[in-house]
Amino acid sequence: MLSSIEKIKKDPEGNEYRAMYYSYTSYAKASQAFYREIPDISNTVKRNFMAFCQHHGIPTPLLDVSSFPLSALYFACIGSSDNEDAFLYIFDKNNFFEINNQSLEFKDVFSTNQGFSYDPLSDLKEIIKTIYNFKFDANRKQIDYWHSLKDSIISEFNLYTKNIEKDPYRQYIEHLRQFNNFAGLIEYFVSEFKKAHPSQLFNGYMKYLRFVGVITNYDNANDKWIAGQRLIDDVLIYVFFIYLGRETFNGSQVPFYPKNIRFFTRTTSDWGRIQSQGGQFIVQNYRVNSNEILDSNPDIKIIKTKNLRIASECQPDYVIRIKSKCKKSILKELDDLNVNRKSLFQDKDSIANYVKEKYFKENLHFVNEGKDSLK
């Protein structure tokens, strides 16, 4: 599934390709212009500005989802034409990490020169905190999800780096390729903490811990031992792979990201419209391999590429197909339950359109040979 920043398009010959809106020159500038044009912008909108852009048609890396099944059913039925089947996509929330909703704030949208590609993996400190929080309150299914991520990241990383030749981190990578599970890595790092002259891989791990602010310095053997007990665990090692993957390619290729790590966020509780919809957002990130760009159009800021990599994939766990002939009756039943445009959007225009459709649609007048008639 794709966020609004990416679309499937067709070239003049009818061949499909994946297109993304050119990063900084489109998303950031459009969002800034949108921000400037909004009169008396509220603090609530400022705190949720990326979501606000998404709801008003500005392409973002967000994918709208709802925690309310009936709201999701409503949007599925109105999101397609009358003669088309609709689809309801269901995601298992246990397979997502929740990131801080500060990522939606206006200041955060433009604090990075990556423009549109707000990267949930760019702030490694936040990722470490997010995973720790996830583990602290995890149920059995969430623990299974975490173990599946750990089981896959070493093989993913080894596969992604198998052809690397020249890189300042090559020795780290070659050393990491000797391990096939987290238990072996943890045991290795613990043993290295006790050595006077540890390996380059260990020194790289220590550099990473300093980079993310977990430690500052250690000076004597006792400090090293204490640090060794405190700073070697599966969460820190997992994020070490992400750190090393980013540093390794240094922009020359598509950086490494774990394939199945997925994130969502929610708006602040004072945004009534989103709360009424049960609105939440899957956060996707994209990276382009500059060596594989097919074509770009600087006028409309669209780029085509063979290798538009989604950092956090979000394939649904279940898909429900809704026959086109059933949509009208479903919407009628939802309306009886007060799940409709009026209750979900809550603005004056939506309420007026709801009232107009309800009371005027079946009683429209038309002129026939100069006489009013009922349709």
Side-chain angles (χ1 to χ4, degrees), residues 225-271:
W225 176 249
I226 294 173
Q229 302 304 300
R230 182 169 57 89
L231 299 176
I232 301 176
D233 64 25
D234 52 358
V235 175
L236 291 174
I237 290 178
Y238 186 90
V239 181
F240 177 56
F241 277 96
I242 299 173
Y243 163 83
L244 192 56
R246 288 174 47 195
E247 296 293 319
T248 297
F249 295 119
N250 198 25
S252 62
Q253 298 184 37
V254 180
F256 167 76
Y257 288 101
K259 181 179 180 182
N260 295 318
I261 188 169
R262 304 193 287 184
F263 297 89
F264 82 97
T265 190
R266 65 184 87 204
T267 62
T268 57
S269 59
D270 56 351
W271 194 1

Side-chain angles (χ1 to χ4, degrees), residues 181 306 322:
N181 58 63
K306 291 188 296 185
I322 304 168

